[in-house]
Amino acid sequence: MKKAIAMLLTVALCLCCFAGCGKTENNQTAAPAPTAAPAGTDGAAPAGNVTLNMLSHTYAALTYFADQMVANAPDGVTVVPEMTDYTSWQEKMRLNLSSKSNAYDITYITPSDLGEFASNGWLVPLDDYIQKYWDQYNFGDIPQYLWDAYTYDGHIYGIPSHQWAMDLFYRADLLEEAGITVPENLDQLVEAAEALNQDGRSGICLTLQATDMLMVTYQSFLTACGGWFWDDNYEPQFSSEASLRAIDYMLKLYQYTPDDCSSYGNNEATVAMCQDLCAMTMMQTTRSAAMNDPEQSQVVGKISFAAAPVDTKGGKSAAIWNTAGYSICASSTNDPETSFLTIANALTEEAEAGCVSVTMPIRESALTDELFAQYPDYAAAWKAIQNGATIRPAIPEFAEIMDVSMTALSTVITGQADLESTMQEVDVEVRDILDEAGYYG
């Protein structure tokens, strides 16, 4: 039966790759039409005609904002977007910026990459432009926690465009049939996963692929259990009591996941939920629209959303949050102020209000009770953000730390290695990375 489920998942995953996925990260749908730039927000027009090249990862939200950038560029500016997958974006941008190539003027950015890029001098600090145009673009409408996410070493290097967070996706009908209430803490989550687990449908699905997907799950549970990757002195804490508790919950839940869940990323987890192969999952809001897309979902109208559970009452949600935005390449030979105005024109209040069908907006004026009533997935994500969801560390070394730690954790999850001794070894390896980078003086 499990092999049959795995085969069904493979077929469905292939179909998903060709289907429109609403707010999903790796599948595009038709984005809303671009809004017109409000009067008075064109800023200083560039001298002569200017072409700005922009490199971006691609999914529905980023397609929307790329369209906004093209449609609302200042007079005399032509924006040429190049959209690609995340890995290709990262490789191409690293190569171009490190070689001081002027091929690109504007880049998509997330806080997890911003630390590396800013520390290498690859991005333009935006502080002066943000201050200059603060009132014109009503930047005060963007919450401080988002500005903080794009800040490195005291300077702002990016403007956010949208955000997302981890939600608990669950089959309301199955919970009701089993007489189970929506899990509010991790113990209840384990109990619900066990009760809902059966042949043909797993109790829960987690993203456990030994990449950033496993890190998403680990960081979420670590946050709920009150831990972090290191202490205030950057001493690694992968073998701490909080970390071991978080992993123990992951191991308990792993019993009730599909057999091949250790290889699941967002695509596989999305398909499993859409194809009625699991009763619950913990996933980002970027995947919620797929649940009600009849072209890829067998459970249309049956999925509900809740803020991720906590460990103990009053504690933080088992959730991460993240955001994507835009930065200016330091090696660009075009006027950085022109690039700044081009970005700002795409992220106005009107543009943010128009993005809600594909992504969760970042401006407070758009985060209304009406929005949350219409999009319960956004409401759950907002609750998690307010309840302590964490963002990935922005230190430049985190990609290497993630590779070391998640490769090791994967062996623990799949029963190939001992929990405590393995995470102690991770602490040693991570400390070596941080030591080499100069974190201990």
Coordinates of all heavy atoms in Angstrom, one line a residue, residues 319-389:
A319 N 7.0 27.9 14.2 CA 6.8 28.5 12.9 C 8.0 29.4 12.6 O 8.6 30.0 13.5 CB 5.6 29.4 12.8
I320 N 8.4 29.4 11.3 CA 9.3 30.4 10.8 C 8.5 31.4 10.0 O 7.3 31.1 9.6 CB 10.4 29.8 9.9 CG1 9.8 29.2 8.6 CG2 11.2 28.8 10.7 CD1 10.7 29.1 7.5
W321 N 9.0 32.6 9.8 CA 8.4 33.5 8.8 C 9.5 33.9 7.9 O 10.7 33.8 8.2 CB 7.7 34.7 9.4 CG 8.6 35.7 10.1 CD1 9.1 35.6 11.3 CD2 9.1 36.9 9.5 NE1 9.9 36.7 11.6 CE2 10.0 37.5 10.5 CE3 9.0 37.5 8.2 CZ2 10.6 38.7 10.2 CZ3 9.6 38.7 8.0 CH2 10.4 39.3 9.0
N322 N 9.2 34.4 6.7 CA 10.2 34.9 5.8 C 9.6 36.0 4.9 O 8.4 36.3 5.0 CB 10.8 33.8 5.0 CG 12.2 34.0 4.6 OD1 12.7 35.1 4.6 ND2 12.9 33.0 4.2
T323 N 10.4 36.6 4.2 CA 10.0 37.7 3.3 C 11.0 37.8 2.1 O 12.1 37.3 2.2 CB 10.1 39.0 4.1 OG1 10.0 40.1 3.2 CG2 11.4 39.2 4.8
A324 N 10.5 38.3 1.0 CA 11.3 38.6 -0.2 C 11.2 40.0 -0.6 O 10.1 40.6 -0.3 CB 11.0 37.6 -1.3
G325 N 12.2 40.5 -1.2 CA 12.2 41.9 -1.6 C 13.2 42.2 -2.7 O 13.6 41.3 -3.4
Y326 N 13.7 43.4 -2.7 CA 14.6 43.8 -3.8 C 15.8 44.6 -3.3 O 15.6 45.5 -2.4 CB 13.8 44.6 -4.9 CG 12.8 43.7 -5.5 CD1 11.5 43.7 -5.1 CD2 13.1 42.8 -6.6 CE1 10.5 42.9 -5.7 CE2 12.1 42.0 -7.1 CZ 10.8 42.1 -6.7 OH 9.9 41.2 -7.2
S327 N 16.9 44.4 -3.9 CA 18.1 45.2 -3.6 C 18.8 45.7 -4.8 O 18.4 45.3 -6.0 CB 19.1 44.3 -2.8 OG 18.7 43.9 -1.6
I328 N 19.7 46.6 -4.7 CA 20.4 47.2 -5.8 C 21.8 46.7 -5.8 O 22.5 46.7 -4.8 CB 20.5 48.8 -5.7 CG1 19.0 49.3 -5.7 CG2 21.3 49.4 -6.8 CD1 19.0 50.8 -5.3
C329 N 22.3 46.2 -7.0 CA 23.6 45.7 -7.1 C 24.7 46.8 -7.1 O 24.6 47.7 -7.8 CB 23.7 44.9 -8.5 SG 22.5 43.6 -8.7
A330 N 25.7 46.6 -6.3 CA 26.7 47.6 -6.1 C 27.6 47.7 -7.4 O 28.1 48.8 -7.6 CB 27.6 47.2 -4.9
S331 N 27.6 46.7 -8.2 CA 28.4 46.8 -9.4 C 27.7 47.4 -10.6 O 28.3 47.5 -11.7 CB 29.0 45.4 -9.8 OG 27.9 44.4 -9.9
S332 N 26.4 47.7 -10.4 CA 25.7 48.4 -11.5 C 26.3 49.7 -11.8 O 26.8 50.5 -11.0 CB 24.2 48.6 -11.0 OG 23.6 49.5 -11.9
T333 N 26.3 50.0 -13.1 CA 26.9 51.3 -13.6 C 25.8 52.3 -13.8 O 26.1 53.5 -14.2 CB 27.6 51.1 -14.9 OG1 26.8 50.4 -15.9 CG2 28.9 50.3 -14.7
N334 N 24.5 52.0 -13.5 CA 23.4 52.9 -13.6 C 23.3 53.6 -12.2 O 23.7 53.2 -11.2 CB 22.1 52.2 -14.0 CG 22.1 51.9 -15.5 OD1 22.3 52.8 -16.3 ND2 21.7 50.7 -15.8
D335 N 22.6 54.8 -12.3 CA 22.4 55.6 -11.1 C 21.6 54.8 -10.1 O 20.5 54.4 -10.4 CB 21.7 56.9 -11.5 CG 21.3 57.7 -10.3 OD1 22.0 57.6 -9.2 OD2 20.3 58.5 -10.4
P336 N 22.1 54.5 -8.9 CA 21.4 53.7 -7.9 C 20.1 54.4 -7.4 O 19.1 53.7 -7.1 CB 22.4 53.6 -6.7 CG 23.4 54.7 -6.9 CD 23.5 54.9 -8.4
E337 N 20.0 55.7 -7.5 CA 18.7 56.3 -7.1 C 17.6 56.0 -8.1 O 16.5 55.8 -7.7 CB 18.9 57.8 -7.0 CG 17.7 58.5 -6.4 CD 17.9 60.0 -6.0 OE1 19.1 60.4 -6.2 OE2 17.0 60.6 -5.4
T338 N 18.0 55.9 -9.4 CA 17.0 55.5 -10.4 C 16.5 54.1 -10.1 O 15.3 53.8 -10.2 CB 17.6 55.6 -11.8 OG1 18.0 56.9 -12.1 CG2 16.6 55.1 -12.9
S339 N 17.4 53.2 -9.8 CA 17.1 51.8 -9.4 C 16.2 51.8 -8.2 O 15.2 51.0 -8.1 CB 18.3 50.9 -9.2 OG 19.0 50.8 -10.4
F340 N 16.5 52.6 -7.2 CA 15.7 52.7 -6.0 C 14.3 53.1 -6.3 O 13.3 52.5 -5.8 CB 16.3 53.7 -5.0 CG 15.5 53.8 -3.7 CD1 15.7 53.0 -2.7 CD2 14.6 54.8 -3.6 CE1 15.0 53.1 -1.5 CE2 13.8 55.0 -2.4 CZ 14.0 54.1 -1.4
L341 N 14.1 54.2 -7.1 CA 12.8 54.7 -7.4 C 12.0 53.6 -8.2 O 10.8 53.5 -8.1 CB 12.9 56.0 -8.2 CG 13.4 57.2 -7.4 CD1 13.8 58.3 -8.3 CD2 12.4 57.6 -6.3
T342 N 12.7 52.9 -9.1 CA 12.0 51.8 -9.8 C 11.5 50.7 -8.9 O 10.3 50.3 -9.1 CB 13.0 51.2 -10.8 OG1 13.5 52.2 -11.7 CG2 12.4 50.1 -11.7
I343 N 12.3 50.4 -7.9 CA 11.8 49.4 -6.9 C 10.6 50.0 -6.1 O 9.6 49.3 -5.9 CB 12.9 49.0 -6.0 CG1 14.0 48.3 -6.7 CG2 12.4 48.1 -4.8 CD1 15.3 48.0 -5.9
A344 N 10.8 51.2 -5.6 CA 9.8 51.8 -4.8 C 8.4 52.0 -5.5 O 7.4 51.8 -4.9 CB 10.3 53.2 -4.3
N345 N 8.5 52.3 -6.8 CA 7.2 52.4 -7.6 C 6.5 51.1 -7.7 O 5.3 51.1 -7.9 CB 7.6 52.9 -9.0 CG 7.8 54.4 -9.1 OD1 7.7 55.1 -8.1 ND2 8.1 54.9 -10.3
A346 N 7.2 50.0 -7.6 CA 6.5 48.7 -7.7 C 6.0 48.2 -6.3 O 5.2 47.2 -6.3 CB 7.5 47.6 -8.2
L347 N 6.3 48.9 -5.3 CA 5.9 48.5 -3.9 C 5.0 49.5 -3.2 O 5.1 49.6 -1.9 CB 7.2 48.1 -3.1 CG 8.1 47.1 -3.8 CD1 9.4 47.0 -2.9 CD2 7.5 45.8 -4.0
T348 N 4.3 50.3 -3.9 CA 3.4 51.3 -3.3 C 2.3 50.6 -2.6 O 2.0 49.4 -2.6 CB 2.9 52.2 -4.4 OG1 2.1 51.4 -5.3 CG2 4.0 52.9 -5.2
E349 N 1.5 51.5 -1.9 CA 0.3 51.0 -1.1 C -0.7 50.3 -2.1 O -1.3 49.3 -1.8 CB -0.3 52.1 -0.4 CG 0.5 52.7 0.8 CD 0.0 54.0 1.3 OE1 0.5 55.1 0.7 OE2 -0.8 54.0 2.2
E350 N -0.8 50.9 -3.3 CA -1.8 50.4 -4.2 C -1.3 49.0 -4.7 O -2.1 48.1 -4.9 CB -2.0 51.3 -5.4 CG -3.1 50.9 -6.4 CD -3.3 51.9 -7.5 OE1 -2.6 53.0 -7.5 OE2 -4.1 51.7 -8.3
A351 N 0.0 48.9 -5.0 CA 0.5 47.6 -5.5 C 0.4 46.6 -4.4 O 0.1 45.4 -4.7 CB 2.0 47.8 -5.9
E352 N 0.6 46.9 -3.2 CA 0.5 45.9 -2.1 C -0.9 45.5 -1.9 O -1.2 44.3 -1.7 CB 1.1 46.5 -0.8 CG 2.6 46.6 -0.7 CD 3.2 45.2 -0.6 OE1 2.7 44.4 0.1 OE2 4.2 45.0 -1.3
A353 N -1.8 46.4 -2.0 CA -3.3 46.0 -1.9 C -3.7 45.1 -3.0 O -4.6 44.3 -2.9 CB -4.1 47.3 -1.9
G354 N -3.0 45.2 -4.2 CA -3.4 44.4 -5.3 C -2.7 43.0 -5.4 O -3.1 42.2 -6.2
C355 N -1.8 42.7 -4.4 CA -1.1 41.4 -4.5 C -1.7 40.3 -3.7 O -1.2 39.2 -3.7 CB 0.4 41.7 -4.0 SG 0.5 41.7 -2.2
V356 N -2.8 40.6 -3.0 CA -3.3 39.7 -2.0 C -3.8 38.3 -2.6 O -3.9 37.3 -1.8 CB -4.4 40.3 -1.1 CG1 -3.9 41.5 -0.4 CG2 -5.6 40.7 -2.0
S357 N -4.1 38.3 -3.8 CA -4.6 37.0 -4.4 C -3.4 36.0 -4.6 O -3.6 34.9 -4.8 CB -5.3 37.2 -5.7 OG -4.4 37.8 -6.7
V358 N -2.2 36.6 -4.6 CA -1.0 35.7 -4.8 C -0.1 35.6 -3.7 O 0.8 34.7 -3.6 CB -0.2 36.1 -6.1 CG1 -1.0 35.9 -7.3 CG2 0.2 37.6 -6.0
T359 N -0.1 36.6 -2.7 CA 0.8 36.6 -1.6 C 0.3 37.5 -0.5 O -0.6 38.3 -0.7 CB 2.2 37.0 -2.0 OG1 3.1 36.7 -1.0 CG2 2.2 38.5 -2.3
M360 N 0.9 37.3 0.7 CA 0.6 38.1 1.9 C 1.3 39.4 1.8 O 2.5 39.4 1.7 CB 0.9 37.3 3.1 CG 0.6 38.0 4.4 SD 0.9 36.8 5.8 CE 0.8 37.9 7.2
P361 N 0.6 40.5 1.9 CA 1.3 41.8 1.7 C 2.1 42.2 3.0 O 2.0 41.5 4.0 CB 0.1 42.8 1.5 CG -1.0 42.1 2.2 CD -0.8 40.7 2.0
I362 N 2.9 43.2 2.9 CA 3.8 43.6 4.0 C 3.3 44.9 4.6 O 3.7 45.2 5.7 CB 5.2 43.7 3.6 CG1 5.4 44.5 2.3 CG2 5.8 42.3 3.3 CD1 5.7 46.0 2.5
R363 N 2.5 45.7 3.9 CA 2.1 47.0 4.5 C 1.0 46.9 5.5 O 0.0 46.1 5.2 CB 1.7 48.0 3.3 CG 2.9 48.5 2.5 CD 2.5 49.5 1.5 NE 3.6 50.1 0.8 CZ 4.2 51.3 1.1 NH1 3.7 51.9 2.2 NH2 5.2 51.7 0.4
E364 N 1.1 47.6 6.6 CA 0.1 47.5 7.6 C -1.3 48.0 7.1 O -2.3 47.4 7.5 CB 0.5 48.4 8.8 CG 1.7 47.8 9.6 CD 2.0 48.7 10.8 OE1 1.7 49.9 10.8 OE2 2.7 48.2 11.7
S365 N -1.3 48.9 6.1 CA -2.6 49.3 5.5 C -3.3 48.2 4.8 O -4.5 48.3 4.6 CB -2.4 50.5 4.6 OG -1.5 50.2 3.5
A366 N -2.6 47.2 4.3 CA -3.2 46.1 3.6 C -3.5 44.9 4.5 O -4.3 44.0 4.2 CB -2.2 45.6 2.5
L367 N -2.9 44.9 5.7 CA -3.1 43.8 6.7 C -4.3 44.1 7.5 O -4.2 44.3 8.7 CB -1.8 43.5 7.5 CG -0.6 43.1 6.7 CD1 0.7 43.2 7.6 CD2 -0.7 41.7 6.2
T368 N -5.5 44.0 7.0 CA -6.7 44.4 7.6 C -7.5 43.2 8.1 O -7.3 42.0 7.7 CB -7.6 45.2 6.6 OG1 -7.9 44.3 5.5 CG2 -6.8 46.4 6.1
D369 N -8.5 43.4 8.9 CA -9.4 42.4 9.4 C -10.2 41.8 8.2 O -10.4 40.6 8.1 CB -10.4 42.9 10.4 CG -9.8 43.2 11.7 OD1 -8.6 42.7 12.0 OD2 -10.3 44.0 12.5
E370 N -10.5 42.6 7.2 CA -11.2 42.1 6.0 C -10.3 41.2 5.2 O -10.8 40.1 4.7 CB -11.6 43.3 5.1 CG -12.6 44.2 5.7 CD -12.1 45.2 6.8 OE1 -10.9 45.3 6.9 OE2 -13.0 45.7 7.5
L371 N -9.0 41.5 5.1 CA -8.1 40.6 4.4 C -8.0 39.2 5.2 O -8.1 38.2 4.5 CB -6.7 41.2 4.4 CG -5.6 40.3 3.8 CD1 -5.7 40.2 2.3 CD2 -4.2 40.8 4.2
F372 N -7.9 39.3 6.5 CA -7.7 38.0 7.2 C -9.0 37.2 7.2 O -9.0 36.0 7.3 CB -7.3 38.3 8.7 CG -5.9 38.9 8.8 CD1 -5.7 39.9 9.7 CD2 -4.9 38.5 7.9 CE1 -4.4 40.5 9.8 CE2 -3.6 39.1 8.0 CZ -3.4 40.1 8.9
A373 N -10.2 37.9 7.1 CA -11.4 37.1 7.0 C -11.5 36.4 5.7 O -12.1 35.3 5.6 CB -12.6 38.1 7.2
Q374 N -11.0 37.1 4.6 CA -11.1 36.5 3.3 C -10.0 35.4 3.1 O -10.2 34.4 2.4 CB -10.9 37.6 2.2 CG -11.0 37.1 0.8 CD -10.8 38.2 -0.2 OE1 -10.6 39.4 0.2 NE2 -11.0 37.9 -1.5
Y375 N -8.8 35.6 3.8 CA -7.7 34.6 3.6 C -7.3 34.1 5.0 O -6.4 34.6 5.6 CB -6.5 35.3 2.9 CG -6.8 35.8 1.5 CD1 -7.1 37.1 1.3 CD2 -6.7 34.9 0.5 CE1 -7.4 37.5 0.0 CE2 -6.9 35.3 -0.9 CZ -7.3 36.6 -1.1 OH -7.5 37.1 -2.4
P376 N -8.0 33.0 5.4 CA -7.7 32.5 6.8 C -6.2 32.0 6.9 O -5.7 31.9 8.0 CB -8.6 31.3 6.9 CG -9.1 31.0 5.5 CD -9.1 32.3 4.8
D377 N -5.6 31.6 5.8 CA -4.2 31.2 5.8 C -3.3 32.4 6.2 O -2.3 32.3 7.0 CB -3.7 30.6 4.5 CG -4.1 31.5 3.3 OD1 -5.1 32.3 3.3 OD2 -3.4 31.4 2.3
Y378 N -3.6 33.6 5.7 CA -2.9 34.8 6.1 C -3.1 35.1 7.6 O -2.2 35.5 8.3 CB -3.3 36.0 5.2 CG -3.0 35.9 3.8 CD1 -3.5 36.8 2.9 CD2 -2.1 35.0 3.3 CE1 -3.3 36.7 1.5 CE2 -1.8 34.9 1.9 CZ -2.4 35.8 1.0 OH -2.1 35.7 -0.3
A379 N -4.4 34.9 8.0 CA -4.7 35.2 9.4 C -3.9 34.3 10.3 O -3.4 34.8 11.3 CB -6.2 35.0 9.6
A380 N -3.8 33.0 10.0 CA -3.0 32.1 10.8 C -1.5 32.5 10.7 O -0.8 32.4 11.8 CB -3.2 30.7 10.3
A381 N -1.0 32.9 9.6 CA 0.4 33.3 9.5 C 0.7 34.5 10.3 O 1.7 34.6 11.0 CB 0.8 33.5 8.0
W382 N -0.2 35.5 10.2 CA -0.1 36.7 11.0 C -0.1 36.4 12.5 O 0.7 37.0 13.2 CB -1.2 37.7 10.6 CG -1.1 39.1 11.3 CD1 -1.9 39.6 12.2 CD2 0.0 40.0 11.1 NE1 -1.5 40.8 12.5 CE2 -0.3 41.1 11.9 CE3 1.2 40.0 10.3 CZ2 0.5 42.2 12.0 CZ3 2.0 41.1 10.4 CH2 1.6 42.2 11.2
K383 N -0.9 35.5 12.9 CA -1.0 35.2 14.3 C 0.4 34.5 14.7 O 0.9 34.8 15.8 CB -2.1 34.2 14.6 CG -2.2 33.8 16.1 CD -3.4 32.8 16.3 CE -3.5 32.4 17.8 NZ -4.7 31.5 18.0
A384 N 0.9 33.7 13.9 CA 2.2 33.0 14.2 C 3.3 34.1 14.3 O 4.2 34.0 15.2 CB 2.5 32.0 13.2
I385 N 3.3 35.0 13.4 CA 4.3 36.1 13.4 C 4.2 36.9 14.7 O 5.3 37.2 15.3 CB 4.2 37.0 12.1 CG1 4.5 36.3 10.9 CG2 5.0 38.3 12.3 CD1 4.2 37.0 9.6
Q386 N 3.0 37.2 15.1 CA 2.8 38.0 16.3 C 3.2 37.1 17.5 O 3.5 37.6 18.6 CB 1.4 38.4 16.4 CG 0.9 39.3 15.3 CD 1.7 40.6 15.1 OE1 1.8 41.3 16.1 NE2 2.3 40.8 14.0
N387 N 3.2 35.8 17.3 CA 3.4 34.9 18.5 C 4.8 34.3 18.4 O 5.0 33.2 18.9 CB 2.4 33.8 18.5 CG 2.3 33.0 19.8 OD1 2.4 33.7 20.9 ND2 2.1 31.7 19.8
G388 N 5.8 35.0 17.9 CA 7.2 34.6 18.0 C 7.8 33.8 16.9 O 8.9 33.3 17.1
A389 N 7.1 33.7 15.8 CA 7.8 33.0 14.7 C 9.1 33.6 14.4 O 9.2 34.9 14.5 CB 6.9 33.0 13.4

